[in-house]
Each structure stands twice: as C-alpha cells, then as structure tokens.
Amino acid sequence: METKKIVIGEKEFIIKELLACDVDTIDFDDKKEALKKQVMLSTGMSEEEYTKLTLKERLGILKIVSEINGLNDFMNPPKQGG
C-alpha cells in the first residue's frame, strides 16, 4: 500500500492509498460527503480533525489522494483518436 507524507503550512499529513472496499462505501452522488470520506479514510483523521482543516489543507490532501489512487487517470481517461 502506497503512502505519501506532505507538509502544508506547518502541518504534516500522511496519506495512504485507499482500499477498494473502502471506496465502495463512498456515495459519490453526494459530492461533499464523498470528498470528506476520501480525506478521512486516506489520512485516518477523525471527524473533529476534519472540521479543523483549512481549504488549502483539504485541497492539498485531495490532490495527493487522487494521485496515489490513480483517480486523475480514472476521471480523465485518454482521448481516443477519431
């Protein structure tokens, strides 16, 4: 399982690759809840810790979550030549 440590401002976060069974529990129709659950599952943070995140911290974490889980490629599949 891949992990990555990032520093945003003065805070350090360790982000781990998500398990497929964890992703299966995320309701992607509720975008707000899906983002929250991705952050919490990938960092192991509590609900209270999550509520104290700045927007910059959350966006930084989500960027790495997408990177180490291959979500960038999943959300933007290669274009087929016509």
Side-chain angles (χ1 to χ4, degrees), residues 3-4 11-12 16 18-20 23 26 29-32 37 52-55 57 59-60 64 69 75 78-80:
T3 62
K4 188 168 188 175
K11 291 184 185 174
E12 183 178 291
K16 66 176 183 165
L18 295 169
L19 297 173
V23 174
I26 299 173
D29 290 331
D30 183 347
K31 291 181 182 177
K32 246 170 100 170
K37 200 153 186 185
K52 294 178 182 178
L53 284 177
T54 66
L55 180 57
E57 291 166 344
L59 291 173
I64 302 303
N69 288 287
M75 301 301 278
K79 295 194 179 0
Q80 303 260 333

Side-chain angles (χ1 to χ4, degrees), residues 60-75:
I61 291 168
L62 286 167
K63 179 181 176 189
I64 302 303
V65 167
S66 293
E67 199 176 283
I68 67 174
N69 288 287
L71 296 176
N72 291 335
D73 296 332
F74 176 74
M75 301 301 278

Side-chain angles (χ1 to χ4, degrees), residues 21-37:
C21 62
D22 287 336
V23 174
D24 290 344
T25 67
I26 299 173
D27 177 8
F28 285 96
D29 290 331
D30 183 347
K31 291 181 182 177
K32 246 170 100 170
E33 192 62 30
L35 293 174
K36 178 179 176 180
K37 200 153 186 185

